[in-house]
Amino acid sequence: MKKGRQGSGFRGQESSSWIGWFGILCVAMATGCSTPRAGLMDPKIKAFSEAAEVAYQRGELDRADALYANALQRARLTDNGTEIAHNAYNLALCRMASGKPGEARNLLVQARVLMAGRGLEEARILLAEAEAARLAGAAVESGELARRAVTAGADREGRVQAQLLQAQAALVSGNLKEARTYYLSAKDKVSKATAPILRARLDALAVTLIQAQVMSGDIAAIHLSQAGWLKKSGHFAEMVVALNAAGGAFEQVGNWPQAFDCRIRAAQSLLAAGLREPARLAAGRAVELAEKTGDLNHKALAAGVLGDLK
């Protein structure tokens, strides 16, 4: 099994691989497709798609995009329907990660038509299309595409993603109870295989539902959980936002040690990212919290980070 950046893929016998995908607001598909036996696939398609996948896994998004575009062009030239679908899908994921959901949707529609009736593969494409619709601001359509993905045969992880999307669509439509129902159903299906970014998005949804008073829960703890999943998925800027949110929530209930931990972690990450003013604000708050905890180690750490910012 070959791991994707945010998902995984299985290797079969007939065609090039599906890739997982990444991006601040995106989430990977849970499965992949295949690498061919020698001689079964056009060697140029194979070379382009394999090089593109390597670039993608390295985070070289522009290079991956160009190579998948070459693979798609070759697949169209050679009238290879399966490879047209695979490479249109993969190219669409690159376009989504580049903030081009409209271009992604055009490619995904083509891939979906070519893979119609093929169960898990069609479901995977529908989920990607649902994500593209969500990113484009078409929440209701996103929810409907997610529902179709479940009907098409999405696997367990795909159903987690689909029900999250349906919950988010219901939330945008103002149907809080329906959003809660979909959220709870998605949470019930979460497993060790669930992508960290999905877990982070579920936590964000939980906070919204708690704040809307349709669900109960510890907001500070959930923000902290969200920060952990964002850390695992490599979304460090969003991790800092979640850490600061957790810190603020812990402060509201007077949990000074936890609040300090969140603020100092945020300050250190911001410092490393070169965001000095936000880092200074977080570190300054950590200094104040260290006074509240009375812990000498807290005071030393906060002073040290603040000193690095002078």
Side-chain angles (χ1 to χ4, degrees), residues 21-57:
W21 58 289
F22 60 97
I24 289 175
L25 297 176
C26 301
V27 60
M29 303 303 101
T31 57
C33 207
S34 56
T35 289
R37 288 189 297 255
L40 284 187
M41 185 168 51
D42 180 278
K44 289 187 178 180
I45 297 175
K46 185 174 186 291
F48 282 136
S49 61
E50 288 184 350
E53 185 176 0
V54 169
Y56 190 94
Q57 303 304 334

Side-chain angles (χ1 to χ4, degrees), residues 195-252:
I197 190 63
L198 267 183
R199 302 289 295 268
R201 283 170 59 183
L202 284 167
D203 282 341
L205 178 59
V207 169
T208 301
L209 293 171
I210 293 167
Q211 290 172 335
Q213 300 183 332
V214 294
M215 198 169 76
S216 61
D218 185 337
I219 287 180
I222 294 170
H223 274 309
L224 191 56
S225 169
Q226 181 190 17
W229 294 119
L230 288 165
K231 176 180 176 180
K232 287 187 177 181
S233 66
H235 291 75
F236 302 119
E238 291 72 36
M239 175 195 74
V240 168
V241 173
L243 282 172
N244 275 321
F250 281 124
E251 288 178 36
Q252 288 181 0

Side-chain angles (χ1 to χ4, degrees):
M1 180 177 286
K2 183 167 183 176
K3 297 287 185 181
R5 188 174 172 90
Q6 295 291 339
S8 61
F10 62 83
R11 294 291 189 178
Q13 301 295 326
E14 299 173 355
S15 55
S16 63
S17 65
W18 301 87
I19 58 168
W21 58 289
F22 60 97
I24 289 175
L25 297 176
C26 301
V27 60
M29 303 303 101
T31 57
C33 207
S34 56
T35 289
R37 288 189 297 255
L40 284 187
M41 185 168 51
D42 180 278
K44 289 187 178 180
I45 297 175
K46 185 174 186 291
F48 282 136
S49 61
E50 288 184 350
E53 185 176 0
V54 169
Y56 190 94
Q57 303 304 334
R58 290 176 176 171
E60 298 169 0
L61 195 57
D62 289 343
R63 177 170 169 75
D65 186 294
L67 288 164
Y68 277 127
N70 288 340
L72 176 58
Q73 182 179 21
R74 181 67 182 180
R76 287 170 169 165
L77 178 67
T78 59
D79 189 30
N80 188 326
T82 298
E83 286 307 313
I84 292 172
H86 286 184
N87 288 291
Y89 169 88
N90 289 337
L91 180 58
L93 300 189
C94 291
R95 297 287 163 86
M96 267 194 279
S98 298
K100 302 172 183 175
E103 293 181 20
R105 287 204 67 185
N106 182 53
L107 291 161
L108 289 166
V109 168
Q110 297 173 57
R112 171 166 52 82
V113 171
L114 289 168
M115 288 292 170
R118 293 180 66 170
L120 188 60
E121 294 185 354
E122 182 183 5
R124 181 189 300 113
I125 296 167
L126 281 162
L127 283 172
E129 202 176 340
E131 290 287 356
R134 179 182 67 85
L135 292 171
V140 174
E141 189 177 2
S142 173
E144 174 58 22
L145 287 163
R147 184 196 64 76
R148 289 172 58 189
V150 173
T151 302
D155 60 9
R156 177 170 175 157
E157 296 309 315
R159 291 195 299 274
V160 172
Q161 183 180 2
Q163 289 179 330
L164 169 61
L165 286 163
Q166 288 173 292
Q168 291 172 320
L171 191 64
V172 171
S173 298
N175 194 332
L176 295 174
K177 290 184 178 179
E178 184 176 289
R180 177 181 177 274
T181 297
Y182 280 126
Y183 165 79
L184 291 174
S185 182
K187 281 288 287 184
D188 188 55
K189 294 178 178 65
V190 164
S191 71
K192 290 181 179 179
T194 304
I197 190 63
L198 267 183
R199 302 289 295 268
R201 283 170 59 183
L202 284 167
D203 282 341
L205 178 59
V207 169
T208 301
L209 293 171
I210 293 167
Q211 290 172 335
Q213 300 183 332
V214 294
M215 198 169 76
S216 61
D218 185 337
I219 287 180
I222 294 170
H223 274 309
L224 191 56
S225 169
Q226 181 190 17
W229 294 119
L230 288 165
K231 176 180 176 180
K232 287 187 177 181
S233 66
H235 291 75
F236 302 119
E238 291 72 36
M239 175 195 74
V240 168
V241 173
L243 282 172
N244 275 321
F250 281 124
E251 288 178 36
Q252 288 181 0
V253 296
N255 189 335
W256 311 126
Q258 283 277 46
F260 170 83
D261 181 66
C262 292
R263 296 295 192 183
I264 199 67
R265 288 165 59 190
Q268 291 178 117
S269 185
L270 288 163
L271 172 60
L275 300 171
R276 298 183 66 83
E277 188 54 34
R280 189 174 288 108
L281 290 173
R285 188 60 188 146
V287 168
E288 295 172 6
L289 289 164
E291 290 298 323
K292 291 181 180 294
T293 69
D295 188 305
L296 294 177
N297 288 327
H298 288 172
K299 292 179 181 181
L301 180 57
V305 173
L306 198 57
D308 286 340
L309 287 158
K310 291 181 178 178

